[in-house]
Amino acid sequence: MVRNKPTYLLVIMSWMLILFVTFGYSVIYSNDKLESHIYNDFDIVYIDDTDNVLELNQVQQLPESMFQNDKLVLHKPESTRFSMWYKVTPNKTSGHHDAFTVSVDNPTLDTVHFYVVDTNNAIKLERRLGDHHTAGNALDHLAPHLDIYEGVTSGMSVFVRIKSKGSVATPLLIESIAMAQQRSSAQLMLLAALFGIGLIMIVYNYFMYRGLGDYSFLNYIFYVACVVSALSMINGFTFFLLPEAVAIWANEHILMSVHFLALAFAIRFAITFLRFDTIKPLFVEIGIKLSTLHFVIAGIGLVFDEGVLLPIYFAMGIVSYIYVITLMCMVLKSRLVWVRYYLVSWIPLLTGAVVTGLAFNGVVNYNFISRNGSLLGVLIEICIMAVAVLDRFRANQIDRDYRMNYDLVTGLPNQYLLDTAIR
């Protein structure tokens, strides 16, 4: 009965995942079917001022021909260090008198300034958010937004100022306040699920490690801890767990280091979990040196900002994935069940990352599921790996029992098994 407990745990985790995905889909469905007219009531244009920083009064005086239409051409900055302006105006002569929310769906931005300007170009409402600014509550970091309860009349505009040095995605959402709150709640629930399931897996693998002393379980503990920490910081969930000043410092100084640590432990986990340490010593040595390089960069990353490290991370990530995929190709024909689970777990992980990247670049439809594809992929990967770890644990137990009770040369029962049978 003891060995079946992790299976029940996996079932609970899987049902939790299904619940959050279903809730997220309900958000998408209601937004697409009932709220789409709010977005269509506005014209959204933008201008990139990375090379020539502009103030609000300068942006107001620019001719419309200098702006790009956000609904036709998505903003794609040339580097991770950029600044830009969004301009949102009602496209009806009557304006838009219902309450609505303007959100920037990217919690990693350094600066997000909202301005509501009246027909005389005077600032009627202003709000400053982002990692470089304190906020009224943690939800403001999770989903930077401005609630406009009185609506806007014809001639009024909403300007959004964005600055960042480590991000490229800046999708702008316009929806009802109720829908924005529902979307934020779904996002928060999904992040809480990631944090809770990650914590369960850490404890689960710790007892596996204590029972067998297998370093693959220890490597997986650190891998899960780093991945969960990185996704929590990227999505603003750390502001719910830590004091605001500490969370801001973590996003500024250790976010990229955690990413490199995750890559390092992913490589070491693959080597130890697939038992390559004694099969391909030269290939393993390459992997150990590659992971050590990640550790070094993670340490150096504490003194550099994310804008410098992000291109290095993408390059090192490609190298690391090539190495791990090569490892998997070597064991593709293995009949071990836990190896197959490990191989399958990479499918949602890579698929989710690709879908999220395509969603932020306008290739696929941007919605709750595509926006959180990477996060959902990690959740599914963790659930599948729970089964792989369990099967690996059972295999180790069977192997240990065999070594204890049988002669490794002849395969015959040994003296210990005889004494046990007599007792």
Side-chain angles (χ1 to χ4, degrees):
M1 294 297 293
V2 175
R3 290 185 180 181
N4 288 332
K5 287 184 178 179
T7 304
Y8 293 124
L9 184 64
L10 177 64
V11 172
I12 294 173
M13 288 160 48
S14 300
W15 275 108
M16 288 174 61
L17 179 61
I18 293 171
L19 173 65
F20 293 125
V21 172
T22 303
F23 181 71
Y25 179 79
S26 68
V27 173
I28 302 166
Y29 182 82
S30 60
N31 185 54
D32 288 344
K33 301 299 182 182
L34 302 178
E35 301 284 341
S36 59
H37 68 279
I38 296 180
Y39 183 81
N40 293 330
D41 283 350
F42 293 89
D43 291 326
I44 305 173
V45 296
Y46 65 86
I47 184 170
D48 191 308
D49 67 336
T50 303
D51 299 326
N52 184 23
V53 178
L54 302 173
E55 298 298 330
L56 176 61
N57 61 340
Q58 295 174 310
V59 176
Q60 290 174 301
Q61 297 173 9
L62 294 176
E64 292 295 326
S65 59
M66 295 188 64
F67 291 87
Q68 290 277 359
N69 190 330
D70 180 69
K71 295 183 179 181
L72 299 177
V73 181
L74 293 176
H75 177 248
K76 296 179 181 179
E78 296 180 357
S79 69
T80 56
R81 293 176 178 271
F82 71 93
S83 62
M84 63 172 295
W85 285 91
Y86 275 113
K87 181 181 179 182
V88 181
T89 54
N91 53 28
K92 295 182 179 180
T93 56
S94 59
H96 184 91
H97 298 287
D98 296 329
F100 67 96
T101 294
V102 179
S103 305
V104 179
D105 197 16
N106 187 348
T108 65
L109 298 172
D110 297 330
T111 299
V112 184
H113 290 181
F114 295 94
Y115 303 92
V116 178
V117 178
D118 62 18
T119 54
N120 296 319
N121 288 336
I123 298 175
K124 185 178 180 181
L125 184 63
E126 179 181 356
R127 194 176 197 201
R128 295 173 180 261
L129 297 173
D131 284 348
H132 287 178
H133 301 274
T134 57
N137 55 66
L139 191 61
D140 291 332
H141 289 282
L142 178 72
H145 66 281
L146 176 67
D147 295 331
I148 304 175
Y149 292 94
E150 299 178 357
V152 291
T153 60
S154 178
M156 293 181 63
S157 302
V158 179
F159 289 91
V160 185
R161 173 69 154 137
I162 294 173
K163 288 184 180 180
S164 181
K165 58 184 177 183
S167 177
V168 295
T170 57
L172 195 71
L173 306 178
I174 301 177
E175 54 199 348
S176 70
I177 293 177
M179 182 54 58
Q181 292 173 344
Q182 188 177 358
R183 184 185 294 275
S184 298
S185 298
Q187 186 73 24
L188 184 58
M189 291 176 67
L190 193 60
L191 289 167
L194 173 70
F195 186 82
I197 291 174
L199 187 61
I200 290 173
M201 285 300 297
I202 289 172
V203 175
Y204 171 39
N205 280 272
Y206 172 75
F207 285 107
M208 294 288 192
Y209 170 72
R210 287 289 302 271
L212 296 176
D214 190 333
Y215 280 99
S216 64
F217 298 113
L218 195 61
N219 287 325
Y220 192 62
I221 288 173
F222 288 115
Y223 166 73
V224 171
C226 290
V227 169
V228 171
S229 298
L231 288 175
S232 296
M233 284 189 278
I234 288 174
N235 289 278
F237 189 65
T238 48
F239 288 92
F240 291 87
L241 305 174
L242 303 171
E244 187 177 38
V246 177
I248 291 175
W249 178 88
N251 281 9
E252 180 73 18
H253 297 283
I254 69 173
L255 176 59
M256 291 307 303
S257 294
V258 174
H259 277 83
F260 282 105
L261 290 176
L263 288 176
F265 285 114
I267 293 172
R268 299 207 171 200
F269 172 67
I271 292 172
T272 54
F273 189 76
L274 298 175
R275 293 177 175 172
F276 266 89
D277 46 346
T278 57
I279 301 175
K280 302 282 186 180
L282 179 60
F283 194 70
V284 168
E285 185 178 353
I286 295 174
I288 296 299
K289 290 182 178 180
L290 181 60
S291 65
T292 302
L293 178 60
H294 283 87
F295 285 128
V296 173
I297 298 176
I300 297 175
L302 296 175
V303 296
F304 288 95
D305 61 54
E306 55 187 342
V308 174
L309 293 174
L310 197 58
I312 300 175
Y313 171 75
F314 285 139
M316 295 297 292
I318 293 173
V319 174
S320 301
Y321 282 129
I322 291 174
Y323 178 85
V324 174
I325 290 173
T326 305
L327 274 180
M328 292 190 293
C329 290
M330 291 181 179
V331 297
L332 199 58
K333 297 181 180 180
S334 174
R335 295 183 179 180
L336 296 174
V337 177
W338 49 267
V339 172
R340 295 178 182 177
Y341 279 127
Y342 176 83
L343 298 178
V344 171
S345 70
W346 276 79
I347 296 176
L349 188 67
L350 295 177
T351 302
V354 170
V355 168
T356 297
L358 295 177
F360 276 111
N361 286 280
V363 179
V364 300
N365 186 36
Y366 184 90
N367 53 44
F368 185 84
I369 298 243
S370 61
R371 179 249 189 268
N372 290 291
S374 180
L375 198 154
L376 290 168
V378 169
L379 274 172
I380 298 173
E381 183 260 349
I382 290 176
C383 290
I384 295 174
M385 279 305 302
V387 180
V389 167
L390 172 62
D391 196 78
R392 169 68 182 272
F393 177 79
R394 289 174 174 172
N396 283 347
Q397 286 285 79
I398 293 172
D399 184 62
R400 188 174 66 172
D401 291 343
Y402 181 84
R403 291 173 178 273
M404 185 180 297
N405 295 297
Y406 293 87
D407 185 273
L408 298 181
V409 177
T410 64
L412 297 174
N414 59 16
Q415 183 68 34
Y416 179 81
L417 183 59
L418 178 62
D419 294 340
T420 302
I422 293 174
R423 287 196 300 269

